[in-house]
Amino acid sequence: MNRLGRKDNETLIEMSLATDGEDSNGPLCETISNTESELPSNSEINKRHQSKDSVFFRDGVRRIDFVLSYVDDPNKEEEKKTERRREFEKNLQKAGLELETEDKKESEDGKTYFVKIHAPWEVLITYAEVLNIKVPIKENDIPSTVEYPLDCMLKPFRLPEKVMHPEPDYFTAPFSKSRQELYLIDNESTFFSPSMRNRIVYYILTRCPYGTEEGKKKFGIKRLLNNGTYTAAYPLHDCQYWKKANDPNCDNERYTLYMEWARFLRFYKEQPLDLIRKYYGEKIGIYFAWLGFYTEMLFFAAVVGLICFLYGWFTMDENMSSKEICAAAIGGEIIMCPLCDRKCEYWKLNTTCESSEYSHLFDNVATLFFAIFMGIWVTLFLEFWKRRQARLKYEWDLVDFEEEQQQLQLRPEYEAKCTHKKKNPVTQEMEPYLPLTSQAVRFCISGTTVLFWISLIIASMIAVIVYRLAVYAAFASIMENTQAPHSISGLLTPQLATSVTASCLNFVIIMILNFLYEKIAVWITDMEIPRTHLEYENRLTMKMFLFQFVNYYSSCFYVAFFKGKFVGYPGNYTYMFSSWRNEECDPAGCLIELTTQLTIVMAGKQIWGNIQEAIVPWIWNWWGRRKARCNPENLYSRWEQDHDLQSFGVLGLFYEYLEMVIQFGFITLFVASFPLAPLLALMNNVLEIRVDSWKLTTQFRRPVAAKAHSIGVWQEILNGMAILSVVTNAFIVAFTSDMIPRLVYYYAYFTNEDSPMSGYINNSLSVFQVSDFLEGNKPEKNPENFLTCRYRDYRYPPGHGRKYDHTMQFWHILAAKMAFIIIMEHIVFIVKFFVAWMIPDVPAEVKARIKREKFLTQKILHEYELNKLKQKLCECKTYENMEKEVIATEGKVELSQAM
């Protein structure tokens, strides 16, 4: 069916491609909605007697597919905005859309206009073909997967079948206007789902022109939103989330999602992924599928991590190192060198008793096992996710969906800003492009900006380190003295007090830099003018991830690999900027401090993230709806209810992925220092799924549906972090924990065969002669006239020919650490790659079903074409010609079947 003489295959893209010198609105044929003529005017509607909680036009027949809102605010720009709106809405009507405007008198605030948009059948079928939307042609008759015996045990976690699978499974094919008889079209008004309809309308909105300004053709709803011409553009939710709609034809999918998915009390239930995909689109559906699968896999890592933690807990009393530190005859007699210059005093080793005991919780032999386990777990997670993703691609008709298909959908901003055109060698059509010189300049500015902000992060990290050094000296001078064998608290040592306060300060700086950089990253990505939406998301993803990686992990890398490694020794300390003495690790090791840093940053980020995601939108919505609560519910229109919600935004899903990927880094890159990290992540993610679903269902406007067949560039980022995690955990076990020095002592330097680890603490501490202190390092007070003090290192004692040089044991330990790193990395990498090779990316069952469905779909299409051809030939051609064409067509079908 054509509208007013338009060509059958003509779309908004073709209509908007005006030739040079031609009015950009010229090719748009007149297709004005007859809304004004057939519908009653605003004055004829009694606002007090008609319920406005509806998703239809005033006629109750045409569905509202999209809503635009604007405010009539008199100022010097208002005339220009009015002209833009008039031109834009006129062009929307020319494109075939039907509009209906709600006067500001009908709105709650008395100043907001709402433009309701309906896409009629002719527009839907035209753009369904452009967007290559797949629609049903026959109900799927392939038998479903056989249930396993253990499925009965999972029934408490299952949702009702009608919730999990809200519609039958069909064989599908891309829509074509020329063969509408083939598709299962029972009702034109419901054939395309609301998510498909809003996707089509949004596609038109983003490409519809609204005039020429400054010699350039302007178009797209995004630009109109940015310049304030419209205040919002959104599709409607189908009903209120807390109750069903009065309309019997409404599916009430939002209500179902809230009751079965978005409430926290349903945390133990599976997610209704098919319903999520149907209501919000594949892009949001694939995110929740990934998040749910990630959370399921975290359960196994959390169980193993908890077992490793409990092992450390139960063996804490058997730890010989902490026993010797706490013993009055050993740790109470060992006098340690001052922790800072001049102001600090000598202190006894047993003042660190409690911290050394607790460090055993994380620094034990189970740490090594858990580090290796996590290296294999992350591979299993990524490989099994590929299989799960392949199954979803089949179930959601995304098998033939390729990102190249989206390349045809250039970003409107790219088309608007690129004035140069060149011929596409494939399509032989003129298309916009950005000159190479312009690209180079933009990339240079972008790269310089990113490097500047990364340098800013490093500078802030150095500032935190300086804070640690300065405050450390203060804490040490206050808390350590020979008269009191314990600190203010047994656990609160100067090292730990400094680490906690510095970690909190670092977290605050991280949050501030994140807030600022998010704005900068979007700005520089916009400046680069990416060609497609895929390019835009990938570039923004890499910029944001690179920044967040450095921002969140730099402090952990410092504690893990730099703190305590370049200290020097008494009399020859290493100084930062020639002013602050480098930090030393606790006598029990730096691992407990890395654990503290990781816990504060990771837990703080998760708590702050949930506050931002849940509480902040709720407060804004509560404030925005304060006036509407005073009016009867039937006068609070559906479009106003959704208008008062928060906008999910184009990058809403991007920030959800970013949050989870940063968490993934915490539980993989540094997991050797904190086996409970997967457990914390698991508890957070159980809450995260419900918080995300709750806010999406109740606090945000309905997002525009979008297709995606994978998690995109995040998959490559996860793969890179999985490889890096093997290296970081190997270095943490080797250089940050005390495992390798203890093993070297156990096998090569023990002095007591009955108890090989006895004497380890004394062996790990070197002796320094007090008289060798430089004047600038020497403590101001030495009331007990100590002649020697101990420090953590492997150096020759005073009186030796190589005084204060490294001993042979130091080099043995270093060699053992390097050998351990090489062996562990090779073992884990071999297992990782073997596991990845063993597990196919696509399950054999899914491969078979894909082939079977393709064959049956192709057979259906060929039979349809054959029948249509026979009918056509019977009407128009001789028997001889008909026979030849039928034979050719049948041969084509047989050839297809053979293939």
Side-chain angles (χ1 to χ4, degrees), residues 753-801:
E753 293 185 1
D754 296 331
S755 179
M757 286 305 297
S758 61
Y760 168 73
I761 291 298
N762 186 61
N763 176 266
S764 65
L765 298 174
S766 299
V767 180
F768 181 76
Q769 190 168 312
V770 172
S771 59
D772 291 337
F773 266 123
L774 298 176
E775 194 60 35
N777 306 133
K778 193 172 184 179
E780 295 177 350
K781 298 178 182 178
N782 185 7
E784 299 189 25
N785 296 318
F786 296 120
L787 299 178
T788 60
C789 62
R790 310 294 292 272
Y791 60 99
R792 182 184 167 85
D793 207 343
Y794 294 92
R795 295 180 182 273
Y796 289 110
H800 193 278

Side-chain angles (χ1 to χ4, degrees), residues 427-452:
T427 63
Q428 294 296 305
E429 295 178 355
M430 299 299 291
E431 63 178 23
Y433 83 102
L434 196 64
L436 186 61
T437 52
S438 178
Q439 289 185 45
V441 172
R442 293 172 188 274
F443 281 133
C444 286
I445 296 173
S446 174
T448 304
T449 306
V450 173
L451 289 176
F452 168 77

Side-chain angles (χ1 to χ4, degrees), residues 846-889:
V846 173
K847 283 184 179 179
R849 292 171 72 89
I850 290 173
K851 290 179 180 178
R852 174 65 178 165
E853 181 169 338
K854 280 187 175 181
F855 167 75
L856 293 177
T857 302
Q858 198 171 41
K859 184 178 179 181
I860 292 170
L861 293 174
H862 284 185
E863 288 177 353
Y864 168 80
E865 295 290 345
L866 181 62
N867 292 332
K868 191 175 179 181
L869 180 61
K870 285 180 178 179
Q871 182 181 1
K872 181 179 178 181
L873 293 177
C874 284
E875 296 174 354
C876 305
K877 296 191 176 182
T878 64
Y879 177 79
E880 183 180 354
N881 291 336
M882 180 183 72
E883 185 180 17
K884 290 180 180 179
E885 292 205 31
V886 169
I887 292 172
T889 305

Side-chain angles (χ1 to χ4, degrees), residues 385-607:
W385 165 246
K386 290 178 185 176
R387 292 169 63 84
R388 178 76 175 112
Q389 190 170 256
R391 188 178 297 277
L392 287 174
K393 285 172 67 175
Y394 165 72
E395 293 174 354
W396 291 355
D397 291 323
L398 298 169
V399 173
D400 297 325
F401 175 82
E402 297 181 0
E403 301 296 352
E404 286 75 13
Q405 172 187 321
Q406 302 300 310
Q407 303 297 323
L408 299 174
Q409 301 176 14
L410 299 178
R411 292 177 66 240
E413 296 84 353
Y414 181 85
E415 294 178 306
K417 294 179 181 179
C418 296
T419 56
H420 297 79
K421 292 184 180 294
K422 68 176 181 180
K423 183 179 288 187
N424 187 311
V426 177
T427 63
Q428 294 296 305
E429 295 178 355
M430 299 299 291
E431 63 178 23
Y433 83 102
L434 196 64
L436 186 61
T437 52
S438 178
Q439 289 185 45
V441 172
R442 293 172 188 274
F443 281 133
C444 286
I445 296 173
S446 174
T448 304
T449 306
V450 173
L451 289 176
F452 168 77
W453 278 87
I454 290 178
S455 303
L456 194 62
I457 297 173
I458 296 173
S460 66
M461 186 189 70
I462 293 174
V464 173
I465 294 173
V466 170
Y467 165 85
R468 295 173 72 106
L469 300 179
V471 172
Y472 179 73
F475 276 131
S477 62
I478 294 171
M479 299 168 65
E480 301 292 349
N481 59 77
T482 54
Q483 303 300 320
H486 296 282
S487 305
I488 295 175
S489 168
L491 182 61
L492 190 62
T493 62
Q495 291 94 333
L496 190 58
T498 303
S499 183
V500 169
T501 56
S503 298
C504 294
L505 176 63
N506 183 66
F507 175 73
V508 172
I509 293 175
I510 285 174
M511 292 296 104
I512 294 173
L513 289 176
N514 269 352
F515 175 78
L516 297 175
Y517 183 75
E518 284 178 5
K519 314 293 183 184
I520 300 297
V522 172
W523 175 75
I524 58 178
T525 307
D526 288 338
M527 183 199 63
E528 292 174 5
I529 319 180
R531 187 172 184 270
T532 65
H533 294 287
L534 179 65
E535 284 185 23
Y536 183 90
E537 288 189 6
N538 287 349
R539 291 184 188 181
L540 181 62
T541 297
M542 294 309 298
K543 290 182 184 68
M544 285 297 297
F545 175 74
L546 181 62
F547 178 85
Q548 298 258 17
F549 183 91
V550 178
N551 199 18
Y552 278 107
Y553 302 143
S554 57
S555 58
C556 293
F557 273 101
Y558 164 73
V559 175
F561 306 123
F562 296 98
K563 183 180 177 182
K565 308 298 186 294
F566 310 100
V567 177
Y569 61 91
N572 188 25
Y573 285 119
T574 305
Y575 289 83
M576 186 176 189
F577 303 129
S578 303
S579 301
W580 294 281
R581 197 172 106 187
N582 285 356
E583 285 183 281
E584 298 180 45
C585 286
D586 190 276
C590 263
L591 199 68
I592 188 68
E593 295 184 48
L594 177 58
T595 304
T596 304
Q597 178 79 19
L598 184 65
T599 305
I600 290 175
V601 175
M602 180 180 175
K605 181 186 183 303
Q606 293 180 167
I607 293 171

Side-chain angles (χ1 to χ4, degrees), residues 64 87 140 192 392 444 446 578 612 640 681 818 825 881:
I64 302 172
E87 192 70 22
N140 192 339
F192 292 103
L392 287 174
C444 286
S446 174
S578 303
Q612 276 187 313
E640 286 181 281
M818 300 306 296
E825 285 182 357
N881 291 336

Side-chain angles (χ1 to χ4, degrees), residues 218-235:
K218 303 291 185 179
F219 57 87
I221 188 62
K222 292 182 181 178
R223 188 181 293 274
L224 292 172
L225 289 171
N226 290 336
N227 61 31
T229 303
Y230 289 100
T231 56
Y234 53 93

Side-chain angles (χ1 to χ4, degrees), residues 78-93:
E78 187 56 33
E79 186 176 341
K80 184 182 293 185
K81 291 179 181 179
T82 302
E83 177 61 25
R84 289 172 185 158
R85 283 193 293 266
R86 187 192 65 79
E87 192 70 22
F88 185 69
E89 291 172 17
K90 184 179 75 172
N91 288 333
L92 288 179
Q93 290 176 322

